[in-house]
Amino acid sequence: MNTYHLLHTFRYCPACGSARFADNDARSRRCPDCGFTFYCNASAATVAIIRNARGEILLTRRGRNPGKGGIGIPGGFVDPGETLEAGCLREVLEETGVEGRIRRFLFTLPNVYPFGGFEVQTVDAFFEVEIDTPEAVRPGDDAEALFWVAPEALDYPAIAMPSVREGLRRLFAK
């Protein structure tokens, strides 16, 4: 757990610019000058569990930080105005070059995504996704490589994001 406030990098009130912007509670800061309160709420993100006919899982090698070079799964942040399902399928298309279909919702897990010196709190929604052409996947966006791995051969320590590691353990670890 963090030993500092979630909004420690926010030093000035975004409404009036006051430097008296201070901790209000564990997830908010408040400005005593204008009364504005800013809350740090979790961002929505998705994870797509894609399997081929052999039961292998599609993994990525991350091409960008955080976790550059580590193992990932297609997925990412949900854009404003998107549903979780639409965000998941957009990320699948961006990272694999193929369209998918949501088969079913699996579960959610909290995550912390370090970005630009700030820790973004997320809630990651895991979906089982089906694609018609597993042989056609090609890396794109922040996936530098794609590969298929049998669940029993997963290298859990190499998985970059804690929520993805925990989600795969939940699904496949015995």
Side-chain angles (χ1 to χ4, degrees):
M1 192 67 177
N2 295 333
T3 57
Y4 55 84
H5 195 275
L6 289 172
L7 297 170
H8 73 280
T9 59
F10 291 69
R11 292 187 174 87
Y12 300 96
C13 174
C16 74
S18 171
R20 296 189 333 132
F21 198 47
D23 297 352
N24 184 52
D25 59 29
R27 65 180 189 94
S28 70
R29 290 194 122 189
R30 181 166 174 74
C31 177
D33 295 335
C34 73
F36 177 75
T37 302
F38 183 84
Y39 289 91
C40 181
N41 295 311
S43 294
T46 62
V47 178
I49 305 298
I50 303 170
R51 298 181 83 165
N52 63 19
R54 294 181 302 278
E56 297 167 320
I57 305 154
L58 183 61
L59 300 179
T60 69
R61 179 153 323 276
R62 294 184 56 81
R64 296 184 196 153
N65 279 321
K68 183 176 179 168
I71 304 302
I73 294 274
F77 285 101
V78 176
D79 288 343
E82 264 184 335
T83 64
L84 290 170
E85 295 86 352
C88 183
L89 295 176
R90 175 186 47 75
E91 289 285 347
V92 167
L93 180 59
E94 288 174 1
E95 294 184 14
T96 71
V98 298
E99 292 188 2
R101 289 178 305 288
I102 302 289
R103 298 292 294 162
R104 67 183 172 122
F105 167 75
L106 298 169
F107 50 82
T108 62
L109 289 172
N111 194 25
V112 177
Y113 187 87
F115 185 78
F118 186 70
E119 292 184 340
V120 179
Q121 306 291 313
T122 68
V123 175
D124 296 350
F126 286 70
F127 290 94
E128 182 181 292
V129 174
E130 181 177 58
I131 58 175
D132 290 328
T133 54
E135 67 283 352
V137 297
R138 301 287 180 269
D141 195 27
D142 59 353
E144 103 181 349
L146 300 172
F147 51 98
W148 299 94
V149 173
E152 61 274 9
L154 283 167
D155 181 6
Y156 292 100
I159 297 169
M161 296 297 146
S163 66
V164 171
R165 188 178 319 118
E166 175 59 29
L168 290 173
R169 276 193 177 116
R170 184 180 285 190
L171 288 168
F172 302 113
K174 296 190 181 344

